[in-house]
Amino acid sequence: QKEVEQDPGPLSVPEGAIVSLNCTYSNSAFQYFMWYRQYSRKGPELLMYTYSSGNKEDGRFTAQVDKSSKYISLFIRDSQPSDSATYLCAMSAYDNYGQNFVFGPGTRLSVLP
Amino acid sequence: NAGVTQTPKFQVLKTGQSMTLQCAQDMNHNSMYWYRQDPGMGLRLIYYSASEGTTDKGEVPNGYNVSRLNKREFSLRLESAAPSQTSVYFCASSETHPRGQFFGPGTRLTVL
């Protein structure tokens, strides 16, 4: 079992739709959870950062963490064509060697005008 | 404030050639990282440096070496390039507290 699983898509939605992107993980030590957006041929860009379970909202984006189920989600409201990108989830914990970041493989999203 | 910068943007090497990828950050971050990204594999950690003067192996360190030159700069060296090292390489940095990493624009490397 991979440490972080993410549906690779591609996911196509019409403009204005609500998008739900999800990741599951196996390591209960993860405490910090992040979502990145990566446009084609660009570096990942940090979108949201959350600590522990709960919800965090930033504009049209909401990040949700359920540590009991080892499940995180990113919701995009009123999706726009400019949201078309690959979305990577990432998790982090401190281990004996320091800070450990693990990334999901990414979900490709297309928002159609 | 440039964030994380990487040079070069593109490189083509022949098998056996060597090269160094450069990375610099101006955010005063302690931690820096090198990743490679391959289709279907996601981002895989090659090496990281938790602070100036320290480096540690990540998931896929074979065939690479790194140098943390100072707090700002972290370089990745391929001593004898192989076709399996064809990839997109990203440098990233973060604060000591893991609030997320900031990535550079990447280097697209092709080894023939």
Side-chain angles (χ1 to χ4, degrees):
Chain A
Q1 183 191 7
K2 289 185 181 177
E3 208 165 6
V4 177
E5 307 255 11
Q6 185 176 7
D7 186 339
L11 178 63
S12 290
V13 300
E15 184 175 354
I18 296 174
V19 176
S20 171
L21 303 166
N22 309 296
C23 285
T24 58
Y25 63 95
S26 56
N27 185 351
S28 58
F30 288 136
Q31 293 181 296
Y32 308 94
F33 304 91
M34 290 137 284
W35 284 96
Y36 291 83
R37 177 175 62 197
Q38 186 175 21
Y39 290 116
S40 180
R41 304 179 81 82
K42 301 287 187 186
E45 169 196 359
L46 181 64
L47 268 182
M48 302 280 288
Y49 158 83
T50 55
Y51 171 69
S52 201
S53 285
N55 291 358
K56 182 175 182 179
E57 190 173 318
D58 184 1
R60 296 185 296 110
F61 298 91
T62 300
Q64 192 173 76
V65 174
D66 182 349
K67 287 192 74 180
S68 62
S69 302
K70 297 191 182 68
Y71 190 88
I72 71 170
S73 299
L74 178 71
F75 297 98
I76 307 174
R77 288 185 300 281
D78 187 25
S79 56
Q80 303 295 310
S82 59
D83 295 326
S84 297
T86 297
Y87 289 80
L88 307 169
C89 62
M91 294 144 200
S92 179
Y94 279 106
D95 59 23
N96 290 336
Y97 304 98
Q99 192 177 310
N100 174 28
F101 281 96
V102 180
F103 285 79
T107 298
R108 229 172 79 201
L109 171 67
S110 292
V111 180
L112 307 174
Chain B
N1 190 342
V4 180
T5 56
Q6 291 182 237
T7 56
K9 286 188 169 49
F10 303 93
Q11 185 72 48
V12 178
L13 293 177
K14 293 181 180 176
T15 296
Q17 286 185 314
S18 62
M19 77 162 296
T20 299
L21 282 65
Q22 306 286 356
C23 174
Q25 53 92 7
D26 62 2
M27 295 174 281
N28 202 35
H29 287 165
N30 283 315
S31 301
M32 297 186 73
Y33 312 80
W34 277 105
Y35 290 91
R36 59 178 289 172
Q37 188 175 41
D38 303 290
M41 303 289 288
L43 283 161
R44 291 185 292 168
L45 183 64
I46 305 170
Y47 270 94
Y48 68 99
S49 170
S51 61
E52 187 179 354
T54 69
T55 60
D56 286 288
K57 294 178 181 179
E59 182 185 353
V60 289
N62 291 345
Y64 305 94
N65 284 300
V66 290
S67 295
R68 182 76 183 266
L69 304 168
N70 47 55
K71 191 171 185 179
R72 289 187 63 246
E73 297 172 290
F74 188 37
S75 62
L76 178 72
R77 182 159 178 85
L78 287 70
E79 290 291 351
S80 179
S84 61
Q85 294 177 306
T86 293
S87 187
V88 182
Y89 291 86
F90 289 103
C91 177
S93 70
S94 72
E95 298 172 357
T96 302
H97 189 276
R99 293 183 186 277
Q101 295 166 312
F102 293 85
F103 283 81
T107 295
R108 294 186 171 273
L109 175 67
T110 301
V111 182
L112 302 175

